[in-house]
Amino acid sequence: MRLATWNVNSIRSRLDRVADFLDRQDIDVLAMQETKCRDDQFPFERFDELGYEVAHIGLNQWNGVAIASRIGLDDVEAAFPDQPGFDKDAAESLISTPIVESRALGATCGGVRVWSLYVPNGRTLHDPHYTYKLEWLAALRANGAQWLAAHPEAQIALVGDWNIAPTDDDVWSVEFFADKTHTSQPERDAFNAIVETGFADVMRPYAPGPGVYTYWDYTQLRFPRKEGMRIDFILASPALAARTKDAMVDREERKGKSPSDHAPVIAEFTD
């Protein structure tokens, strides 16, 4: 099984690139984030032509997550239990009836429970969205712990754009990101709390050390200057992580005409 995750930054703008990527990398399951479209705008027909079933949740031109699979797509969930919501119009804090955004989608593909996740950005350390981000991650951790406690041998992949660089090796400049989101200690603690429940970063053993990034801002020539961040991950449950055969970042997809600002992360698992 070849599983990939990719923040495509608008599926309608990158459809041809996504189709070419699926073929070039022989992908069985692709989790996508920031599809930036409603369900009725998603190009299901193109994926059907390529032999993929697709589940998608998108409420407007923001956020949006999808899973495309050619090895089955069952038990689709449009959010994880008790997923926090956010009112984008709230001036100072979360409200009692927040909107659950299109940020999490789960489906079982070839026996693996795949969650396509688009973790809230956080914006700034003092923004209500930062509190929302930490609450969102805490709820995800609680669910992950429950899933593994109930079924220790469960095959689960938590994949997507986490908007967190968990170590200093995951950013091009520690000084540049000081006092910013993505690298703050509470965010890193929230990420590590999920790892500590038993979910493993399957790519790190295959690409150790600094300089391995998945995101480069469009501005300031960040990509050619190799000034990036590693914020996209495939975290696998113990039983699934034990099957890891290989993992990589496909930097080629950050090149060329009209790329996403993220590159896909790919993991291959034995049968």
Side-chain angles (χ1 to χ4, degrees), residues 31-223:
M32 291 169 275
Q33 302 84 42
E34 272 203 286
T35 57
K36 293 186 176 180
C37 65
R38 302 187 309 268
D39 291 347
D40 64 308
Q41 297 173 315
F42 191 91
F44 291 98
E45 297 83 1
R46 181 69 177 277
F47 284 88
D48 184 63
E49 292 170 359
L50 296 170
Y52 291 83
E53 297 179 80
V54 176
H56 175 262
I57 177 68
L59 304 179
N60 48 42
Q61 74 272 29
W62 309 111
N63 308 321
V65 284
I67 299 173
S69 173
R70 64 182 185 185
I71 57 173
L73 190 73
D74 302 305
D75 303 321
V76 175
E77 290 183 83
F80 54 79
D82 300 318
Q83 179 178 319
F86 185 76
D87 182 356
K88 65 182 179 63
D89 297 319
E92 297 180 356
S93 64
L94 301 180
I95 61 175
S96 59
T97 56
I99 299 167
V100 176
E101 299 179 306
S102 49
R103 291 184 175 275
L105 182 69
T108 300
C109 310
V112 176
R113 188 66 177 166
V114 177
W115 281 95
S116 180
L117 306 169
Y118 180 40
V119 176
N121 180 283
R123 299 176 183 169
T124 72
L125 299 182
H126 305 290
D127 192 288
H129 213 255
Y130 181 77
T131 301
Y132 167 48
K133 179 179 190 175
L134 295 178
E135 292 182 351
W136 203 96
L137 288 162
L140 177 62
R141 184 211 60 80
N143 275 281
Q146 291 173 8
W147 295 332
L148 292 183
H151 302 286
E153 296 304 313
Q155 309 275 325
I156 305 172
L158 307 179
V159 312
D161 177 358
W162 293 74
N163 273 313
I164 299 172
T167 74
D168 288 350
D169 280 349
D170 297 316
V171 295
W172 66 273
S173 169
V174 174
E175 292 75 19
F176 179 85
F177 288 102
D179 300 319
K180 294 183 174 68
T181 58
H182 294 55
T183 61
S184 73
Q185 197 58 52
E187 291 168 286
R188 288 180 168 182
D189 289 346
F191 182 92
N192 288 330
I194 295 173
V195 172
E196 288 167 2
T197 65
F199 289 91
D201 172 7
V202 299
M203 196 196 75
R204 212 35 158 163
Y206 298 91
V212 180
Y213 306 132
T214 65
Y215 166 83
W216 301 260
D217 194 290
Y218 287 128
T219 65
Q220 306 292 319
L221 297 175
R222 295 294 186 206
F223 184 66

